Amino acid sequence: MASMPQQQVLPPRPVGERRRRGGGRPTDPGTIGVRGRRARPMYLAVAPYFLLFAIFSAIPIVFTMFLAFTDWRGIGEWNIIGFENFSYLLHDPLFWKSLKNTLILWAMSTIPCLTLATLLALALNASVRFSTVYRVAYLVPNITSLVAMGILFSSIFSSNVGIANALLNIVGIDSVRWLQTEWGIKIAISTLSAWSFVGYNALIILAGLQSIEKQVYEAAQLDGAGPVRTFFSITLPMLRPIVLFVTIMSTIGSLQSFTESQVMTSSQGGGASSAGGVGNSGLTMVLYFYSVAFQENRYGYGATIAWGVMVVVIIFTIINWFATRERSR
């Protein structure tokens, strides 16, 4: 019987030799870290964003916080007064008046705007001829200058030759002095706000409607569900993320409204006491901040109002999120 050849066993390679040949380094290109000169183009590519963010956002935010602790009026010395501006803000009747007006205008504009936007989205989602033309037409108000629309709506709600009073006279109702009464100003401003954003919100809701599978509606029809039951049981629950987004964005926009009130109730530089029209009925928080800071040159207190606006926006954003988020089952 022939003997089996013995297998030659090689001695182990020294550890130093393995290290000299590159042992211990990963050979997969995906695991090689990007360092040194290879990373510079990447940092340069994202640098403009961080530079612009620092110049137009980060630095102004820090500077505004610093101003809130001073009584600076644009020129002169910087006098640090501590929390006096914040203490005065809590007892300022005009600030609370502006907050009340802002919440009323938010309710008068946001709720009708979202309702109309939903109805328009449902109509556009149906098989309607020239639906693309309608989508463009609904988006035009959103891309038009708010200043121009404010001037237009000032003419529409004019007490003498306004279209609104002309329509009222046709049905036998006396003319209303829209921009000379408290609730007339609120109706005019909220109508402008709702008209400006109803098309934009309708297109967002329409995108959500088109993402719902048609088989779901077909199954509901086979089960005998009518249009109303289908909307509340299928459409609305499946649109919950879209409704959350639209509600939060509309709330933030309403709480930060400025142009509508400024154009339609211009105070001609009279300061915060005359801003917002008759009885400050159109005075919003941002308009109050603008009047105090840039018309009365009270930059320290104006910065305090700006921080108050930010706190209110954050609070209402959290409330909206908890109110519209999907409940855990």
Side-chain angles (χ1 to χ4, degrees), residues 189-223:
I189 295 174
S190 59
T191 302
L192 171 58
S193 300
W195 182 82
S196 301
F197 297 101
V198 65
Y200 174 76
N201 292 332
L203 290 182
I204 295 179
I205 297 174
L206 175 62
L209 288 174
Q210 292 181 343
S211 65
I212 301 176
E213 297 292 339
K214 293 183 179 180
Q215 290 80 358
V216 179
Y217 292 111
E218 294 174 357
Q221 291 178 357
L222 292 176
D223 291 339

Side-chain angles (χ1 to χ4, degrees), residues 7-66:
Q7 185 178 3
Q8 184 178 3
V9 180
L10 298 177
R13 183 179 300 174
V15 178
E17 183 179 353
R18 283 185 294 179
R19 292 180 179 177
R20 286 194 302 269
R21 294 187 180 183
R25 292 190 304 171
T27 57
D28 185 3
T31 61
I32 300 177
V34 180
R35 299 189 183 95
R37 289 178 296 179
R38 294 182 59 188
R40 291 178 185 176
M42 302 178 186
Y43 289 120
L44 290 176
V46 298
Y49 167 79
F50 289 100
L51 181 62
L52 294 176
F53 176 80
I55 295 175
F56 295 103
S57 296
I59 295 177
I61 289 174
V62 175
F63 184 66
T64 303
M65 174 57 74
F66 172 74

